[in-house]
């Protein structure tokens, strides 16, 4: 009974649609669209009804008979969002989308917000990379300390300045002192 109830609750999860658009054929079958839903490898007819569907769209598909013309137009537009491509589309929705994209691009206020967001993302990424590099270095130094290497030896092995090693060793010791 409990197992049946939890399966019922699992099936009540919201549906999730993940769409990935690529300018190349990720799977090599020449299709515009590949749709995946979870199934058991050992028992193929057993599907996991988790509501998740993954769709991979290929802007360079070769089988137009398998998808709508509007999807093909959209994928062409996604790859080349120009006035010419938009103008050649029969889909009014794609033409309207292009008009709105052009309005947004023409708005100086939107452009400034976009640039600020872009700069913030770059800063966050750079900070994340720096933090990751520092964690790796701390981990390497901790391993060398555990093997009773001196700061000078660690500096030589890792090819970094002795003062940097000493600062990190001090940080490690301070953290240990706080934990105790």
């Amino acid at each position: 009974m409990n197992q049946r109830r939890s399966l019922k609750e699992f099936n009540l999860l919201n549906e999730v649609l993940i769409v990935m658009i690529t300018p190349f054929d990720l799977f090599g079958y020449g299709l515009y669209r590949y749709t995946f839903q979870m199934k058991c490898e050992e028992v193929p007819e057993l599907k996991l009804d988790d509501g998740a569907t993954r769709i991979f769209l290929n802007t360079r598909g070769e089988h137009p008979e398998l998808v709508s013309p509007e999807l093909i137009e959209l994928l062409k537009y996604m790859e080349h969002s120009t006035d010419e491509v938009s103008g050649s589309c029969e889909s009014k929705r794609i033409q309207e989308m292009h008009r709105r994209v052009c309005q947004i691009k023409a708005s100086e206020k939107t452009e400034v917000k976009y640039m600020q967001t872009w700069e913030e993302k770059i800063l966050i990424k750079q900070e994340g990379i720096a933090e990751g590099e520092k964690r790796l270095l701390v981990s390497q130094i901790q391993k060398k300390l555990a093997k009773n290497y001196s700061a000078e030896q660690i500096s030589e092995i890792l090819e970094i300045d002795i003062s940097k090693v000493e600062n990190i060793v001090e940080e490690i010791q301070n953290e240990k002192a706080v934990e105790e």
Side-chain angles (χ1 to χ4, degrees), residues 27-82:
F27 303 104
Y29 289 93
L31 300 177
Y32 279 101
R33 179 181 60 220
Y34 299 89
T35 305
F36 293 89
Q37 293 180 324
M38 191 81 81
K39 71 175 185 177
C40 180
E41 288 183 26
E42 295 77 13
V43 185
E45 63 275 5
L46 179 61
K47 292 187 178 183
L48 182 61
D49 192 16
D50 65 351
T53 301
R54 292 152 193 85
I55 299 175
F56 295 84
L57 298 174
N58 168 21
T59 62
R60 300 185 187 166
E62 300 167 1
H63 297 284
E65 69 279 4
L66 299 176
V67 294
S68 72
E70 186 175 37
L71 177 60
I72 295 170
E73 286 184 341
L74 175 64
L75 292 172
K76 286 181 180 173
Y77 177 75
M78 290 295 206
E79 191 164 15
H80 303 286
S81 303
T82 63

Side-chain angles (χ1 to χ4, degrees), residues 138-150 153-154 157-158:
V138 168
S139 172
Q140 289 174 329
I141 291 173
Q142 284 175 322
K143 288 176 184 174
K144 302 297 180 218
L145 288 173
K147 293 181 180 179
N148 294 319
Y149 284 101
S150 68
Q153 291 170 316
I154 296 171
I157 293 168
L158 299 179

Side-chain angles (χ1 to χ4, degrees), residues 4-153:
R4 193 175 270 162
R5 189 178 60 182
S6 44
L7 182 59
K8 224 183 234 185
E9 289 171 359
F10 179 76
N11 288 333
L12 292 176
L13 291 172
N14 289 335
E15 289 192 24
V16 176
L17 183 64
I18 302 165
V19 179
M20 171 92 87
I21 301 172
T22 63
F24 54 88
D25 189 348
L26 190 62
F27 303 104
Y29 289 93
L31 300 177
Y32 279 101
R33 179 181 60 220
Y34 299 89
T35 305
F36 293 89
Q37 293 180 324
M38 191 81 81
K39 71 175 185 177
C40 180
E41 288 183 26
E42 295 77 13
V43 185
E45 63 275 5
L46 179 61
K47 292 187 178 183
L48 182 61
D49 192 16
D50 65 351
T53 301
R54 292 152 193 85
I55 299 175
F56 295 84
L57 298 174
N58 168 21
T59 62
R60 300 185 187 166
E62 300 167 1
H63 297 284
E65 69 279 4
L66 299 176
V67 294
S68 72
E70 186 175 37
L71 177 60
I72 295 170
E73 286 184 341
L74 175 64
L75 292 172
K76 286 181 180 173
Y77 177 75
M78 290 295 206
E79 191 164 15
H80 303 286
S81 303
T82 63
D83 291 336
E84 294 79 25
V85 172
S86 168
S88 69
C89 289
E90 291 182 21
S91 169
K92 298 296 178 203
R93 293 191 291 188
I94 294 172
Q95 292 172 358
E96 175 62 19
M97 180 174 62
H98 181 68
R99 188 184 66 72
R100 288 185 183 184
V101 166
C102 290
Q103 280 179 333
I104 290 169
K105 284 182 177 179
S107 165
E108 204 172 298
K109 184 179 177 183
T110 303
E111 185 179 350
V112 168
K113 276 186 177 178
Y114 173 79
M115 291 304 293
Q116 288 171 338
T117 303
W118 182 75
E119 289 170 352
E120 287 172 7
K121 285 182 180 180
I122 287 178
L123 280 173
I124 290 168
K125 184 177 180 180
Q126 288 172 339
E127 289 170 359
I129 290 169
E131 179 67 25
E133 288 172 349
K134 182 168 184 192
R135 285 184 182 185
L136 175 62
L137 185 57
V138 168
S139 172
Q140 289 174 329
I141 291 173
Q142 284 175 322
K143 288 176 184 174
K144 302 297 180 218
L145 288 173
K147 293 181 180 179
N148 294 319
Y149 284 101
S150 68
E152 293 80 13
Q153 291 170 316

